[in-house]
Amino acid sequence: MFGRVLGLGALLALFCGCATTVVREEPSHAALAEALIENVKGTKVQMVEGAWKDEAFAAECVLKGDGEMLTAVLLAPQMRLATLTLKQPHTLRWDRAPQVPSSLDPEYVLFDMALVLLPTATLSEKIGEDYRVDETADGRRRRVVDARGRLHSVRQVLPDGGVYFRNAVYGYELTVKTIPQ
């Protein structure tokens, strides 16, 4: 029994004690952070599956918002990979496990969350003049292009209600499906 407790303690120290935390008081996309806080309310559990280069990944994402704060927790089996917390008036907190590459910038995560989660009208208003949001008449597909007309991303609502997202700048794609509770 003592060996199990000691082993569990060492494992927790390895995964929890070595996490990296970043706090930014004025994220570069503050308007998008505010829009996410205002628009994501309640608790949602989502399955995220995707690919980047030759690597496939899958994780569970728990979103919890109350109008004052939004928390997104990214989980792999038996492990918390990262937690992104947005608080009024402009605080971003990012905690990541050592297994998550340091190149995964929390402001980049915030930006892509906004591209996936925000309604098109809100996204168009808050994204800034460096981007344009185009949507099909049925509202199922939208593209974000930069000021030079280059494709940034595509978001499409799938027939089953899931969302397909492709980031053309960084070359990854993912599918998000909400898990009924």
Side-chain angles (χ1 to χ4, degrees):
M1 177 69 176
F2 178 72
R4 283 186 185 173
V5 171
L6 184 61
L8 179 60
L11 189 61
L12 287 172
L14 176 66
F15 289 123
C16 299
C18 299
T20 299
T21 300
V22 173
V23 177
R24 296 197 180 134
E25 293 300 324
E26 282 293 327
S28 60
H29 301 291
L32 291 177
E34 284 181 28
L36 282 166
I37 291 169
E38 292 170 8
N39 283 275
V40 180
K41 294 188 180 151
T43 301
K44 284 185 188 179
V45 178
Q46 299 178 319
M47 187 65 200
V48 180
E49 297 176 329
W52 180 67
K53 296 186 180 182
D54 292 336
E55 297 289 324
F57 59 87
E60 193 170 88
C61 182
V62 179
L63 297 169
K64 184 175 182 181
D66 63 8
E68 295 292 321
M69 182 170 80
L70 170 66
T71 302
V73 181
L74 192 62
L75 304 161
Q78 302 178 6
M79 181 179 175
R80 180 187 59 83
L81 295 172
T83 302
L84 177 80
T85 306
L86 302 171
K87 288 184 184 178
Q88 295 285 15
H90 297 283
T91 302
L92 177 149
R93 180 183 172 103
W94 173 250
D95 297 294
R96 68 169 179 82
Q99 294 79 356
V100 175
S102 60
S103 60
L104 185 58
D105 186 282
E107 293 193 44
Y108 180 69
V109 173
L110 180 158
F111 190 79
D112 276 1
M113 282 178 57
L115 297 178
V116 172
L117 296 171
L118 290 178
T120 300
T122 303
L123 181 61
S124 294
E125 177 187 336
K126 303 291 185 178
I127 200 165
E129 60 190 37
D130 292 338
Y131 297 94
R132 184 183 80 237
V133 181
D134 299 322
E135 184 175 69
T136 58
D138 64 2
R140 298 191 66 80
R141 183 176 170 90
R142 73 176 176 212
R143 297 173 358 120
V144 175
V145 295
D146 66 17
R148 296 181 184 172
R150 293 178 299 201
L151 179 66
H152 180 280
S153 61
V154 174
R155 174 188 174 267
Q156 182 170 341
V157 178
L158 301 172
D160 66 1
V163 174
Y164 168 80
F165 178 78
R166 180 171 60 90
N167 184 306
V169 175
Y170 291 100
Y172 74 88
E173 60 185 37
L174 52 89
T175 303
V176 179
K177 294 183 181 180
T178 299
I179 299 169
Q181 297 193 4

